Amino acid sequence: AQKVTQAQTEISVVEKEDVTLDCVYETRDTTYYLFWYKQPPSGELVFLIRRNSFDEQNEISGRYSWNFQKSTSSFNFTITASQVVDSAVYFCALSEDTNAGKSTFGDGTTLTVKP
Amino acid sequence: SAVISQKPSRDICQRGTSLTIQCQVDSQVTMMFWYRQQPGQSLTLIATANQGSEATYESGFVIDKFPISRPNLTFSTLTVSNMSPEDSSIYLCSGSENTEAFFGQGTRLTVV
């Protein structure tokens, strides 16, 4: 069985602070995919990144960066110089299937960035 | 990636009635899925919508309550039947093509 744990239920920071959202996963498969999604108050799910289990290279996209560590089964997400528009619920998800739409989601972390 | 148009975006329904949610994808996708997100909670997979055959339901979800259709590779519907206030949730459809996944905008359902 697969499981995704986002231990941080809510995080509140002041604008321009850096913030890291934690994600720990469990799976028995050697091939799997990890995702991060953003859900703003409007409700839609915005895809942020996908990582496959064979690619441990960290990734940076603008103010966003992701740290994938297979040794600790973690896939953490850092926002640098946070902005108010980053306020949202962030979900980490795991797919053991090549069909990435079938995923197990963590409970989400609500990030509030205050001006 | 593909774009999914989901409608309605929100609805308020009377208990005991049914609501059908539609998702239209702008290109053919191999797989489509339906999720439920109860208030303040995470997304839970309801079922895999199979093209031309019966959907595959996850544990805790049954066809009588959540009938799903997928007549072709670009369209799917989910019906929430005989609704009760406990069905108040956001319902999202998802499409995937290999390792790409994309979601509709969600349907925010309130049952009164």
Side-chain angles (χ1 to χ4, degrees), chain A residues 33 35 37 39 41-45 47 50 89 91 97-108, chain B residues 30-31 33 35 37 40-43 45 48 58 90 92 94-96 98-101 103-105 108:
Chain A
Y33 302 87
F35 304 82
Y37 295 92
Q39 188 176 45
S42 51
E44 77 273 20
L45 214 58
F47 166 85
R50 175 190 69 250
V89 181
F91 291 99
D97 199 286
T98 53
N99 293 302
K102 186 177 182 181
S103 296
T104 297
F105 283 76
D107 288 339
Chain B
T30 305
M31 305 294 290
F33 306 89
Y35 287 84
Q37 186 179 21
Q41 297 190 27
S42 186
L43 282 77
L45 181 65
T48 301
E58 298 298 308
I90 297 174
L92 297 105
S94 165
S96 75
N98 297 319
T99 58
E100 295 282 343
F103 286 80
Q105 302 93 325
R108 193 178 296 267

Side-chain angles (χ1 to χ4, degrees), chain A residues 17 55 72 113:
Chain A
E17 285 185 15
D55 184 1
T72 55
V113 181

Side-chain angles (χ1 to χ4, degrees), chain B residues 8-81:
Chain B
S9 58
R10 59 178 62 232
D11 207 342
I12 301 173
C13 300
Q14 296 291 324
R15 66 177 66 200
T17 63
S18 298
L19 175 72
T20 296
I21 303 167
Q22 299 181 2
C23 276
Q24 178 73 54
V25 192
D26 66 352
S27 62
Q28 292 187 349
V29 292
T30 305
M31 305 294 290
M32 290 186 74
F33 306 89
W34 287 95
Y35 287 84
R36 180 178 71 182
Q37 186 179 21
Q38 293 177 300
Q41 297 190 27
S42 186
L43 282 77
T44 301
L45 181 65
I46 297 172
T48 301
N50 300 308
Q51 193 262 324
S53 64
E54 191 172 289
T56 304
Y57 290 84
E58 298 298 308
S59 175
F61 298 96
V62 295
I63 187 171
D64 290 345
K65 177 66 176 178
F66 298 103
I68 289 170
S69 78
R70 189 167 180 213
N72 56 54
L73 292 176
T74 64
F75 186 78
S76 180
T77 68
L78 168 75
T79 298
V80 186
S81 303

Side-chain angles (χ1 to χ4, degrees), chain A residues 56-101:
Chain A
E56 285 195 74
Q57 194 170 19
N58 292 329
E59 182 159 337
I60 298 175
S61 177
R63 296 184 296 108
Y64 296 168
S65 62
W66 292 268
N67 183 281
F68 178 26
Q69 301 256 353
K70 284 182 76 171
S71 60
T72 55
S73 297
S74 65
F75 186 42
N76 297 336
F77 172 32
T78 298
I79 302 175
T80 304
S82 59
Q83 300 176 0
V84 173
V85 293
D86 295 327
S87 297
V89 181
Y90 290 85
F91 291 99
C92 181
L94 166 69
S95 172
E96 294 178 339
D97 199 286
T98 53
N99 293 302

Side-chain angles (χ1 to χ4, degrees), chain B residues 11-16 83-88 109-112:
Chain B
D11 207 342
I12 301 173
C13 300
Q14 296 291 324
R15 66 177 66 200
M83 288 183 285
S84 66
E86 292 71 35
D87 294 320
S88 298
L109 171 62
T110 302
V111 184
V112 298

